[in-house]
Amino acid sequence: MPSYKLSYFNLRGFAEVSRLIFAAAGEKYEDVRYERDQWPAHKDEMPLGQMPVLEVDGVKLPQSAAIARFLAKQFHLAGKDNFEQAQVDAVVDTIYDLLKAFIPSRREQDEAKKEELTKKFFGEELPKHLQNLETLGKLYGNGGHFFVGNQLTWADLLFQNFAETFVGMNADCLNNFPWLQKNRAEVEKQPRIAEYLKNRPKTEI
Amino acid sequence: MPSYKLTYFNGRGRAEVSRLIFAVAGEKFEDVRYEMDQWPAHKAEMPLGQIPVLEVDGVKLPQSAAIARFLAKQFHLAGKDNFEQAKVDAVVDTIDDSFKGFVPTRFEKDEAKKEELTKKYFGEELPKHLQNLETLGKLYGNGGHFFVGNQLTWADLLFYTFAQAWIGVEADCLNNFSWLKKNRAEVEKQPKIAEYLKNRPQTQF
């Protein structure tokens, strides 16, 4: 049994998908969380000066998607063969495209410009990407509620985390996407995930 | 033996890493290339209205990284076990981070602004990412010239093709990065790659 240590900020953010994977798999790990003022003292310990980082038996792995995919494969949440894993990866990349479109509105310092960018994101960009995600879910989902192959994979967990953040900012943003709403509901009612969501630290993002 | 059809523009861009994987593996595929004016007629055929798309026995897969990783795993160019594959994924994500800032410098229409963005990218941004890539190569490369585990993986092929784009704009951009230069030289002299590079279509991007 390898030992796992996950280091990140005290946020959901880019590490939460990995925490959800550990929870869904019922696997133990050290969940290291740094507050903003603690982080500078640890920056040099990380290969690229960034987090999250996963340490596996003492070897450090950066990059949140590489970490999550590794853990998903370890715990059979990545897709049952190479082509299914590719379909999961395609859904994951489409979710990350959605995040890329979101980030500029988060980084903008000017309040008026930030509001304009946020409005544009929720009004135009988010619906486009959500439509793409429904397309893939219907193409790969074998008629079920999960994105790929009629079973839970890390693509569903990744979507759940960021859907929670977006709905927290704009309560109606999934209203026109019943397939995605049903997907999120299916994920949240899995017993280990429901338990984890109930007990985890509450953070805004 | 599955049948493979790769569809993209008539350029290297985000499909070339997959073409390099097929070449190294000595595997056949249908290499569909659209000129810019041909593409609109085919856009609706693609799941997300984008290319590249890989069709495997008739099932379409979008997203260039998902495609390349799938092919690399099919042909044993992805890393020899789950943790090595994770290291390869971490290098790939870091190469992708490096390339993000490059794209806006190519598409900027205002000449003065384009020159300023390009100068900033090559002067400040890219060197930071190249340093990160050398860090990972030395951390995971087992003392060899390839990024992970002392053997060729798709991480080396992806770096090779994206670096060609940078060198096309700024010929000296790798001058301070001897490990990365040696890595590219090793990739280029692999017999199947040397043969492929000699014979492939010469395109603008």
Side-chain angles (χ1 to χ4, degrees), chain A residues 47-48 56 59-63 65-66 69-70 73-74 82-83 85-86 89-90 93-94 97 100 132 135 140, chain B residues 47-48 56 59-63 65-66 69-70 73-74 82-83 85-86 89-90 93-94 97 100 132 135 140:
Chain A
L48 308 183
V56 184
V59 183
K60 290 187 170 80
L61 183 73
Q63 298 288 8
R69 183 179 298 103
F70 166 73
K73 280 152 74 184
Q74 289 289 92
N82 191 11
F83 196 51
Q85 291 186 2
D89 285 345
D93 284 353
T94 305
D97 283 347
K100 273 183 210 137
N132 282 344
T135 297
Y140 299 143
Chain B
L48 307 182
V56 185
V59 183
K60 291 185 169 79
L61 183 73
Q63 296 288 9
R69 183 179 299 103
F70 166 73
K73 279 153 74 184
Q74 289 290 91
N82 190 11
F83 197 50
Q85 292 186 1
D89 286 344
D93 285 354
T94 306
D97 285 347
K100 265 187 214 129
N132 281 344
T135 296
Y140 299 146

Side-chain angles (χ1 to χ4, degrees), chain B residues 20 24 134 144-147 152 155-161 163-164 167 174 177-195 197:
Chain B
L20 284 162
V24 170
E134 285 212 345
H145 299 297
F146 298 115
F147 276 108
L152 181 76
D156 304 292
L157 301 177
L158 184 68
F159 181 70
Y160 184 81
T161 191
Q164 180 170 358
I167 289 165
L174 294 186
F177 298 96
S178 52
W179 192 97
L180 293 174
K181 278 168 71 162
K182 190 76 175 89
N183 169 269
R184 285 192 90 239
E186 277 302 311
V187 168
E188 269 175 340
K189 70 187 201 197
Q190 302 293 299
K192 285 183 172 147
I193 295 177
E195 184 67 20
L197 294 178

Side-chain angles (χ1 to χ4, degrees), chain A residues 149-160:
Chain A
N150 222 352
Q151 60 186 62
L152 181 77
T153 67
W154 70 289
D156 304 294
L157 300 177
L158 184 69
F159 180 70
Q160 188 283 332

Side-chain angles (χ1 to χ4, degrees), chain A residues 6 11-27 29 31 33 67-68 71-72 75 77 152-165 184 187-200:
Chain A
L6 180 68
L11 300 169
R12 292 181 286 110
F14 288 104
E16 193 64 10
V17 61
S18 290
R19 298 191 186 112
L20 284 162
I21 291 167
F22 278 119
E27 292 281 343
Y29 68 108
D31 183 19
R33 293 166 179 256
I67 291 168
L71 292 170
F75 307 136
L77 287 165
L152 181 77
T153 67
W154 70 289
D156 304 294
L157 300 177
L158 184 69
F159 180 70
Q160 188 283 332
N161 181 58
F162 288 109
E164 182 168 335
T165 297
R184 190 185 162 198
V187 170
E188 290 177 357
K189 73 185 198 199
Q190 302 292 301
R192 284 183 177 150
I193 294 174
E195 185 68 20
Y196 172 74
L197 294 179
K198 208 173 65 177
N199 295 319
R200 69 176 173 184

Side-chain angles (χ1 to χ4, degrees), chain B residues 71-154:
Chain B
L71 293 171
K73 279 153 74 184
Q74 289 290 91
F75 308 134
H76 312 294
L77 288 164
K80 67 182 196 308
D81 57 35
N82 190 11
F83 197 50
E84 249 193 28
Q85 292 186 1
K87 293 173 183 173
V88 172
D89 286 344
V91 174
V92 163
D93 285 354
T94 306
I95 295 167
D96 225 59
D97 285 347
S98 317
F99 203 71
K100 265 187 214 129
F102 180 60
V103 176
T105 71
R106 297 302 90 204
F107 284 104
E108 177 56 53
K109 298 219 158 31
D110 178 287
E111 274 307 317
K113 189 140 200 269
K114 182 172 177 149
E115 199 176 314
E116 186 195 327
L117 284 175
T118 303
K119 198 164 166 218
K120 185 161 190 256
Y121 175 75
F122 282 100
E124 297 169 28
E125 205 181 315
L126 182 60
K128 263 189 343 213
H129 292 294
L130 295 177
Q131 189 56 61
N132 281 344
L133 285 169
E134 285 212 345
T135 296
L136 293 183
K138 289 166 184 172
L139 184 61
Y140 299 146
N142 289 13
H145 299 297
F146 298 115
F147 276 108
V148 180
N150 222 353
Q151 60 186 66
L152 181 76
T153 67
W154 70 289

